[in-house]
Amino acid sequence: MIRVLIADDQPLVRRGLALILGPDPEFEVVGEAEDGARAVALAGELRPDVVVMDIRMPVLDGVQATAELARILPGVRVLALSTFDMDEYVVAALRAGAYGFLPKDVSPEELGAAVRTVHGGEAVVAPRLLTRLLSAYVRTPAPVRPAAAAVPPEMTPREREIWQLLASGLDNAEIAAELDISVSTVKNHITGIFGKLGVRDRAQAVIAAYESGLVEAGHGSG
């Protein structure tokens, strides 16, 4: 059973999320929090597996709460929620350690699937949605360095190529088709890329590509 804590400043939203997840025997809603500070405190007491976290909350917002949970309870997975698809707070939450992002208008089935996925340690952000977010909100640090200078020296040319395609929004199958290699080979390369970048998942690898200058905000992979 997956233990879930729900954090949202709107009581009706909290209740709605609990009513969606609660009847499923795979989930146990262990608590509800009305702000980020309360979410952190309850997570320390209740030790949930997943926190469904609204990004915009009073006292301590969802980004700050996510960062604090990543620091003190790294085993807890955060699934961030936002009313808006294009929200700069989403990128901030992913940087802070959230395992995924969903807009609040997702279906009950999508919410349940996302909670299961982040519980398993995988990121939940549609690649093209993440790319749109990053293109709108991520800025390359100044002074801008050549992309090659930002690539870890131990990264192979093939890994760099796959990292760039990943950052452009392609999934594993699309990368495999683009490079005429197998999906399993792509997966192996991506594991190596994560290790060399020191990132945990696909979302953080995409952020790293934008922030390093490998991919320019607003210009896709070109």
Side-chain angles (χ1 to χ4, degrees), residues 54-142:
D54 183 27
I55 289 179
R56 296 176 179 266
M57 291 187 292
V59 186
L60 194 69
D61 67 31
V63 175
Q64 295 170 302
T66 296
E68 184 66 7
L69 286 174
R71 184 180 69 83
I72 64 173
L73 294 171
V76 174
R77 318 294 195 194
V78 173
L79 175 62
L81 297 181
S82 175
T83 304
F84 308 101
D85 281 358
M86 298 298 287
D87 189 338
E88 67 271 26
Y89 280 70
V90 174
V91 173
L94 293 169
R95 282 199 193 105
Y99 271 72
F101 157 73
L102 286 179
K104 286 186 177 179
D105 61 357
V106 297
S107 69
E109 293 77 18
E110 289 172 319
L111 175 64
V115 171
R116 293 183 190 95
T117 299
V118 299
H119 177 250
E122 298 293 328
V124 177
V125 184
R128 287 182 177 81
L129 172 58
L130 180 61
T131 301
R132 287 199 346 252
L133 284 163
L134 289 165
S135 295
Y137 295 110
V138 171
R139 297 296 177 262
T140 303

Side-chain angles (χ1 to χ4, degrees), residues 90-91 94-95 97-101 117-118 121-131 134 138 159 161-179 181-195 197-211 214-215:
V90 174
V91 173
L94 293 169
R95 282 199 193 105
Y99 271 72
F101 157 73
T117 299
V118 299
E122 298 293 328
V124 177
V125 184
R128 287 182 177 81
L129 172 58
L130 180 61
T131 301
L134 289 165
V138 171
E159 287 172 335
E161 187 176 22
I162 289 174
W163 182 24
Q164 191 167 32
L165 291 172
L166 181 156
S168 75
L170 273 61
D171 62 25
N172 290 356
E174 290 168 332
I175 294 171
E178 176 75 16
L179 299 178
I181 57 179
S182 70
V183 172
S184 62
T185 298
V186 172
K187 290 179 179 177
N188 289 337
H189 279 304
I190 288 176
T191 299
I193 290 165
F194 288 177
L197 292 175
V199 301
R200 184 194 60 212
D201 57 37
R202 201 178 194 93
Q204 292 185 345
V206 175
I207 290 172
Y210 276 82
E211 292 186 327
L214 180 73
V215 177

